[in-house]
Amino acid sequence: MKKSRLAFLIGTVGGVGYLRPAPGTWGSLAALPMAYALHQLGGFLLLALATVLCIVVGVWAAEAMTRNRENMDPSEFVLDEVAGQFTALWAVSYPAWAHDIEITALWPGWIAAFVLFRLFDILKPGPVGWADRQKGATGVMMDDIIAGILAAICVAALAFLSHGLLGM
């Protein structure tokens, strides 16, 4: 298989990026069962390793997919959404792993991580917008990683409010 075909296969997450409308949302949705499987197989550490691998491979795939093209961030490239969604789910995976809690019991965190990541990715506030304006494959990946970090922080804050401060 040629490098560019492999890059398209990986970058579109097996073709998920071609789903319409809202390919980014489809990419984020595709990340959910992948994150669940990774957590079940190896806990938070495997999800974290997979996130880092998505980022590294994503930079390569984005570079290959955009070479000699005007559009430096094609909508069909959704591996960045997968990496960002994985990052957002760290706030669910880590506590489940660290406290030996079944990850499905933290289902409100899954919903919050998905919704918040999509909001940050679409609205591009502050550092997300800055990263989105950066040129090249690293910029393509980094806006989603930063959106994932912001979503994870918000999920952790919501969990603190719900379980810590309110004692629910």
Side-chain angles (χ1 to χ4, degrees):
M1 180 179 283
K2 290 171 78 176
K3 263 197 217 180
S4 65
R5 285 187 21 195
L6 180 60
F8 272 82
L9 182 65
I10 292 170
T12 64
V13 186
V16 170
Y18 294 112
L19 295 174
R20 297 290 184 264
T25 300
W26 288 108
S28 295
L29 281 170
L32 298 177
M34 289 188 278
Y36 174 78
L38 289 163
H39 180 87
Q40 291 299 102
L41 290 171
F44 171 74
L45 294 177
L46 187 57
L47 179 60
L49 179 64
T51 305
V52 172
L53 185 62
C54 279
I55 294 168
V56 171
V57 172
V59 169
W60 168 79
E63 173 67 33
M65 282 181 67
T66 60
R67 191 172 296 127
N68 301 322
R69 291 178 69 178
E70 268 186 50
N71 185 358
M72 296 307 291
D73 193 0
S75 63
E76 66 269 15
F77 183 83
V78 294
L79 187 57
D80 54 343
E81 269 83 11
V82 171
Q85 189 65 69
F86 281 2
T87 303
L89 288 167
W90 284 17
V92 179
S93 178
Y94 179 77
W97 175 73
H99 300 289
D100 198 29
I101 300 168
E102 174 55 45
I103 196 164
T104 55
L106 303 178
W107 63 268
W110 284 82
I111 295 168
F114 176 78
V115 170
L116 288 165
F117 171 68
R118 291 309 301 145
L119 281 173
F120 287 129
D121 188 30
I122 292 165
L123 298 176
K124 303 202 182 304
V128 182
W130 172 83
D132 186 57
R133 291 186 296 276
Q134 303 309 300
K135 302 294 181 214
T138 304
V140 170
M141 292 299 296
M142 282 304 107
D143 72 306
D144 293 276
I145 300 307
I146 295 169
I149 291 168
L150 293 176
I153 290 168
C154 289
V155 169
L158 288 169
F160 173 75
L161 282 172
S162 177
H163 302 293
L165 202 56
L166 299 177
M168 297 173 89

